[in-house]
Each structure stands twice: as structure tokens, then as C-alpha cells.
Amino acid sequence: MPKADFPARGLFPTKYFLITGNVKEESLDKISKSFKKDEDVRKLFVDEDLNDLDRAVYLLNQGSEIQRCSVFNNLKQLLVDEGDEGVKAIAESLSDILWKLDEDIQIACAKSILSITSLLNEVSTGYLFPIITTMTGLKNKTVADEWNEVLIMSMDKVEMEIVEKYIKIGTELGDINENESNRVLACRLLGAITKRIDPGKVLDYLPLLQGLCQDTDASVREAMCEQIGIIAPKIGYKNTVAKMDDTSIADELLELLQDEEKAVKIAAFKTLIDLLDLFEDDFRHIRIFPIIKSLILNNDQTLYRLFVQAFGKIMYKMRKKIICDESLISLCCNFYKASSLKTDGRLRAQCAYNFPGILVTIGKKRYEKYLHSIFVKLATDSYAISRITIAKAFHEICKILGKPLSVKYLYPTLKIMLKDNNLEVKESLFVHINIVLDSFLSNDHTANSEIFPPLIPLFLKYNSIITTNWRRQVGMLKHYKHYPKYFTPDEIHKFFIPILFKYLEFGAAPTREDASVCIVIHTRALANNSKQVEIYNQLKEKFGRGRSFWLRLTFIKICKHTLDSFSHNFFK
């Protein structure tokens, strides 16, 4: 048999439609084994003069499995380039063939549409919707489930007429005589519909939703836990707690927290945390706090990790109840301390994340009694993420405690953390270092002289570590302009201005930009005319008369900033 001689390009699409590996290996084997004749290869040939949309349509109608998958994998780019008309052309091609293609192709198409739902609008979703409804009706459960996901996501985009039509379909699927999968779909579909319709219409099918909360299948109850988080904000607090047939949506959620199935309990607890803002204080104190207290006392292992993760938010939302009773404060803080001492580093990191929330709840007056030892432990924890988390929140903790307490309790820990071997800990501190330093600043010059000079070696050490990372340098330089508030003119002249000269000469463009601002501010802060003149003479010689274009351009930037800070006479 003579060897087929086709151009390599044109066999597959040239711009977007590339093989991305989402097709199963057996599909590739099937294709390769089918090439028994030259005609089989010739079928893969694509006219290279076709534009991208025409090529996509051609491949969907005439291409192999892998070529069709290449269209699905690049559907996002087609939508960006071609807009609604591109979606319309693709939908017209798919409507007649997709339902009879292989399972892999049908699933690939569903996943592709799911990935672009954020880009779709009402018009483009309308083109795709007939295909979606056809595919959800297939007998193949695996394929139908994938397309059910598309159906649920499409409820955010389709016309209101279609949404209202699916209210009836959703309520029918939620009937007790339907199978488990349909009832789960009903929960999720009605939850998606709830986002689009008026609260009054949601109340019409609320009894059905409450009944699904009591379903005999755990998967249905779990699905309803997730939907309550959508339904309750839509209908508002009063309707959420209002009794209907001797129960309310809020009652159902709290009952699901006691469910025998772990997955249901976890889903219910996540929803409860999300809805804390919705519930009013009386409901939180009377109905929710006893549950929280029980979790603290009984150490429910199913919910323990989630409970620790959300503990700061929970305490803050319950603060009116907690701060009135010292025994409750002690109970909560002892639980928090015990959690912060667990051997699981991830739990300790969650405690670090919650620290500001706990502190703002109990107040700074109780910091020493309940939280200082925990703070020091987490700031020096063996698990790096705990230390990084504390470093990121350090400035918030300073703001909550205020100046006197920050100096007393946080300053020693700051010095320890600035010596940390983990660079990310130090970088996290420097993101808001000016706020931290402001919390130590005093009107007493003697006190300042004891606080700030010991930090200089630590600052210089950090600077020496980040010499090859211009992004970290820029992050540090953003706060350099505040340094004259904390350090004396002599310290500025001796330690920080030489660093700025190096950044001006050798730094990346963004670094030089910030350094040019800082050196003007620092020189202005010297308040010594002879030193100021000396520095500007160095700048003029090194940069104004520099051989490099970049050095001379830097000098122009320095001159611009100088005019903003110095008098015109000095500039002359």
C-alpha cells in the first residue's frame, strides 16, 4: 500500500484546538487502530483556510473523538473570540449528534460547559439549554449526573420563564416516591432556583424543603443542609425561624446537627456557621449557644476540626452572651488553649488564624490572663504555618491591644519573630511593619531609644537576605518612608541611607522608584544642612553625571521628589 503523503499541518486545528490529555488512553488506541486505510487518515485532514469557528463546527460534525474533545477543551477561547454567535454555532452542531456520541465525549462536553458558565449570559445559555435538557434525560447515569451539574449551574443564567418552569420540575423530583438521586437533584435544583426568584415564591415550596430535611436517605439530608445556606438568607430571618407545620427551616438545621450520619452533621455545621450573621442575638443566645457549649464540653470528634477552624468567628458572634459571664470566658479560652497545644500542626495553625477574633471578643483587659501564653506559644510554634499566620495578624493584634500593652507583651515576641529562620515569617511581618512600629511609638524619646535601636540589626539582616528578590525589596521599601518617625537622624544616616544608595544604583526599576522617594524623605529628616548637601553631592556625582542612562534617569526622579520635599532655594 503506498504511503499517504499529507501535510502535517491541517491534520489537526492550528490555533486553539490542541490535544490536552483529557481523552482516555483507550480512546486514543481505538482511533489509532481504526486507521486501516489512507481514507481513514484523510478524514482527519482539516482545511487550513477555515477560520476558528468554522473549523470547530467542522470537527464537531466530521472529526474524530480526539478532535471533538479538542474543541470542547478550547470552548472558553472560542467564546471569548466569537461571543454568542460562536456558542450558537457550536450548539447547533451538538444538538443533533451529542446524544449519540461516546460517553467520554458527552462527559468532556459537560465539563467544558461547566468551566465557562461564568462567561455565559442569558442569550448564550439559551442556545445551550435544549442540549442540557436532552443530556440530563439520558439513561446513562454517569453522563446524566455530569449534565445535571450543568443544569444546576445554568439556573443562574437562563431566562426567568425557564426558571419558573423548573420550579414545578424541582418539586416533582422531590416527591417521596422519586428515587434518591432525583430527590438530591430536587434539593440542589430548588436551591439554585431560590437565588433567582422572589422570596414569596420560595415560601410556596418551603414545606417540601422541610420534608426533604427529614428524608430517610442521608445524601438527601446532606444536600438539604447545603441548600439551607442559600434559602435562609433569601427568605430572611423571620421566615427562617417562623413555624410552618410546627417546625421551621432553622429548627430543621439544628436538628440535622444531631444527625447520626457524619457527613450530614458536618454539612449542617458548615451551614450554621455561614448563617451566624443572619440570626439575631436572641436566637443565637437561646438556640445556638447551648449547642456551642455542648461542643466545648463533649469534644465531638466529628465536628472538632471544623469547630476549631471557626472558633474565632463563633466567639465573636456570641460575644454579648460570653462577656457577661466570666465562667463562659474561662470555658471558651481553656478550650482554645487546649486546642492550641494539640500535636496536630494544622490545628495549631487554625488557632493562630483565630487569635485576633478571640482577642477582640474577650477584650484587651483579659489578654494577659487568658491569651498571652497562647500567643507566645503560637508565635514560636514548631509548625511554620502557625508562625506565619501569627506574623500576618501581628499588626491587627497590635491595634487591638493598643500602645502600652503592645510594648509590654508584643515587643519581645516581635524581636524573636524577626530572627525566625523562615523567610516567610519575616516577610509577613514587614507587610504591615509601620503599623506594628506605630504601636510601639511614644512621645517619650527615652522610651523610643530603648525600643527602636535594638530592631536595627534585625532590619538590616532581613535586607541582606532579600538582595536577590526585588518584590520583597519593594515591599520593604514601602515602609522606609516612615522610618524617620522611629529612628534618629544619626541612625537614618548611618544605617538606612547607604542601603538606599545601593538600591538606587543596582536595584530593579520598581526598587529604584521607591528608593528615590525614600532617600529624599530620609535626607530631609536629617535636619542637618551639611549632611543633606553631602548626600545630594553624592547623588549628583554618581547619578546625575553617571555614564548609564538608567542612573541619569534615576537622578531625574530624585530631583522630582526633591521639589516636593525641599525648598526651591535648596534645589537650586
Side-chain angles (χ1 to χ4, degrees):
M1 180 181 294
K3 184 176 180 181
D5 185 18
F6 295 117
R9 61 177 187 165
L11 185 62
F12 290 101
T14 56
K15 184 177 178 183
Y16 300 122
F17 306 113
L18 305 176
I19 301 169
T20 59
N22 288 342
V23 182
K24 293 183 179 180
E25 187 175 342
E26 54 264 32
S27 297
L28 296 173
D29 292 339
K30 189 191 303 182
I31 294 169
S32 62
K33 290 176 182 178
S34 68
F35 295 161
K36 295 179 180 180
K37 298 179 181 180
D38 291 348
E39 289 77 8
D40 295 326
V41 179
R42 204 173 267 111
K43 290 178 182 179
L44 298 178
F45 185 78
V46 181
D47 186 348
E48 61 184 21
D49 293 329
L50 291 175
N51 62 39
D52 296 313
L53 180 57
D54 291 340
R55 184 183 295 114
V57 171
Y58 176 81
L59 290 176
L60 288 176
N61 290 310
Q62 306 294 333
S64 66
E65 288 186 19
I66 196 169
Q67 286 176 314
R68 283 168 172 152
C69 280
S70 73
V71 176
F72 300 144
N73 291 333
N74 294 281
L75 196 56
K76 180 177 180 179
Q77 190 61 53
L78 265 177
L79 177 58
V80 170
D81 291 347
E82 306 293 340
D84 294 343
E85 289 304 310
V87 176
K88 181 180 180 181
I90 295 294
E92 288 174 349
S93 297
L94 290 175
S95 60
D96 294 329
I97 61 170
L98 185 59
W99 63 274
K100 55 188 177 183
L101 295 178
D102 286 350
E103 176 181 317
D104 294 344
I105 304 294
Q106 295 170 340
I107 291 175
C109 184
K111 291 182 181 298
S112 178
I113 295 174
L114 270 178
S115 71
I116 63 168
T117 49
S118 61
L119 301 175
L120 296 174
N121 55 38
E122 188 175 289
V123 173
S124 53
T125 306
Y127 292 142
L128 293 170
F129 200 73
I131 299 170
I132 296 171
T133 54
T134 298
M135 299 306 293
T136 55
L138 294 185
K139 293 182 179 179
N140 185 321
K141 187 177 183 303
T142 304
V143 174
D145 286 346
E146 291 287 345
W147 282 92
N148 282 335
E149 295 294 326
V150 183
L151 175 65
I152 291 166
M153 293 296 291
S154 69
M155 287 296 112
D156 284 339
K157 305 286 184 177
V158 293
E159 298 175 349
M160 280 304 301
E161 183 180 345
I162 296 176
V163 173
E164 292 178 356
K165 174 184 174 183
Y166 268 83
I167 295 175
K168 181 180 179 182
I169 295 174
T171 53
E172 289 174 353
L173 289 172
D175 189 271
I176 193 171
N177 295 318
E178 291 287 337
N179 60 45
E180 179 184 351
S181 297
N182 282 349
R183 297 201 306 279
V184 170
L185 177 59
C187 298
R188 300 186 61 205
L189 190 57
L190 291 172
I193 290 170
T194 296
K195 299 176 185 177
R196 297 287 307 277
I197 62 176
D198 295 332
K201 292 183 179 180
V202 179
L203 297 177
D204 292 339
Y205 55 80
L206 200 58
L208 170 66
L209 297 174
Q210 291 179 184
L212 290 169
C213 290
Q214 301 286 342
D215 198 277
T216 55
D217 288 301
S219 60
V220 179
R221 299 196 302 275
E222 182 182 355
M224 270 312 304
C225 290
E226 297 166 355
Q227 304 317 308
I228 288 174
I230 299 171
I231 295 161
K234 185 70 175 186
I235 63 177
Y237 170 71
K238 290 184 178 179
N239 288 321
T240 299
V241 300
K243 299 289 185 181
M244 185 178 293
D245 295 332
D246 298 325
T247 187
S248 67
I249 281 290
D251 293 334
E252 298 293 350
L253 178 61
L254 298 184
E255 186 174 336
L256 288 166
L257 273 171
Q258 313 302 322
D259 202 278
E260 59 188 14
E261 292 292 334
K262 290 183 178 181
V264 177
K265 289 181 68 173
I266 290 171
F269 187 74
K270 287 180 178 178
T271 298
L272 179 65
I273 299 305
D274 290 339
L275 293 178
L276 282 177
D277 288 326
L278 174 72
F279 295 120
E280 294 182 356
D281 286 338
D282 287 346
F283 188 88
R284 290 182 199 155
H285 299 163
I286 297 171
R287 299 294 306 278
I288 299 178
F289 188 76
I291 297 171
I292 301 303
K293 188 175 181 180
S294 174
L295 288 172
I296 293 173
L297 294 172
N298 299 327
N299 198 14
D300 187 329
Q301 290 303 307
T302 301
L303 300 177
Y304 179 71
R305 186 174 294 278
L306 280 173
F307 188 46
V308 171
Q309 182 178 335
F311 195 64
K313 179 178 180 179
I314 293 170
M315 278 197 67
Y316 182 73
K317 296 300 179 183
M318 300 289 180
R319 63 190 182 281
K320 291 182 181 179
K321 174 74 173 178
I322 295 171
I323 60 175
C324 296
D325 189 335
E326 195 69 25
S327 65
L328 291 180
I329 295 174
S330 178
L331 176 69
C332 293
C333 290
N334 287 338
F335 171 82
Y336 178 62
K337 182 176 183 178
S339 300
S340 70
L341 297 174
K342 293 288 184 179
T343 56
D344 188 337
R346 292 172 299 175
L347 275 175
R348 300 198 304 274
Q350 290 293 345
C351 290
Y353 173 80
N354 282 296
F355 192 89
I358 306 295
L359 174 57
V360 78
T361 299
I362 69 170
K364 60 184 180 181
K365 292 181 180 179
R366 298 184 179 91
Y367 171 80
E368 181 181 12
K369 180 178 180 181
Y370 291 111
L371 295 180
H372 182 60
S373 62
I374 302 174
F375 174 77
V376 174
K377 170 68 175 61
L378 293 172
T380 57
D381 197 275
S382 59
Y383 189 53
I385 296 178
S386 297
R387 305 197 306 277
I388 293 167
T389 306
I390 287 292
K392 289 179 177 179
F394 204 99
H395 67 292
E396 294 291 347
I397 299 168
C398 287
K399 288 193 287 187
I400 297 169
L401 287 183
K403 289 187 177 182
L405 294 179
S406 293
V407 173
K408 182 178 180 180
Y409 295 115
L410 304 186
Y411 176 73
T413 307
L414 175 66
K415 291 194 292 185
I416 294 172
M417 298 187 78
L418 285 171
K419 297 175 184 177
D420 199 292
N421 292 327
N422 188 297
L423 181 58
E424 194 172 347
V425 172
K426 287 180 276 197
E427 182 183 9
S428 299
L429 286 170
F430 271 94
V431 170
H432 299 288
I433 195 66
N434 62 309
I435 298 176
V436 175
L437 296 180
D438 278 343
S439 68
F440 301 148
L441 189 63
S442 168
N443 293 326
D444 185 346
H445 295 294
T446 303
N448 290 340
S449 66
E450 294 176 356
I451 293 293
F452 296 110
L455 298 178
I456 293 175
L458 303 176
F459 282 28
L460 298 180
K461 177 67 175 177
Y462 177 69
N463 176 74
S464 68
I465 294 172
I466 63 172
T467 52
T468 59
N469 190 313
W470 67 265
R471 288 182 176 85
R472 287 193 172 110
Q473 292 170 356
V474 168
M476 182 186 67
L477 285 171
K478 284 181 179 177
H479 304 295
Y480 254 54
K481 60 186 177 183
H482 302 293
Y483 281 12
K485 289 196 296 183
Y486 319 120
F487 303 106
T488 66
D490 288 341
E491 291 165 345
I492 292 290
H493 184 263
K494 181 178 180 181
F495 297 111
F496 298 112
I497 286 182
I499 292 174
L500 293 174
F501 265 95
K502 290 181 180 179
Y503 284 139
L504 287 169
E505 186 173 3
F506 304 110
T511 308
R512 288 199 302 270
E513 179 66 37
D514 286 339
S516 66
V517 175
C518 291
I519 199 162
V520 172
I521 293 173
H522 282 208
T523 305
R524 185 76 179 85
L526 295 180
N528 183 313
N529 192 259
S530 62
K531 286 184 178 179
Q532 291 173 343
V533 171
E534 176 191 341
I535 290 170
Y536 269 92
N537 284 335
Q538 292 178 27
L539 291 170
K540 183 169 61 176
E541 189 64 33
K542 184 178 288 290
F543 298 97
R545 295 172 179 159
R547 300 181 65 181
S548 164
F549 158 77
W550 290 109
L551 294 180
R552 297 193 300 274
L553 183 60
T554 299
F555 183 72
I556 293 174
K557 293 179 180 178
I558 293 171
C559 290
K560 176 182 177 295
H561 298 307
T562 301
L563 285 169
D564 296 333
S565 298
F566 285 87
S567 68
H568 284 223
N569 288 334
F570 180 89
F571 183 80
K572 291 177 181 178

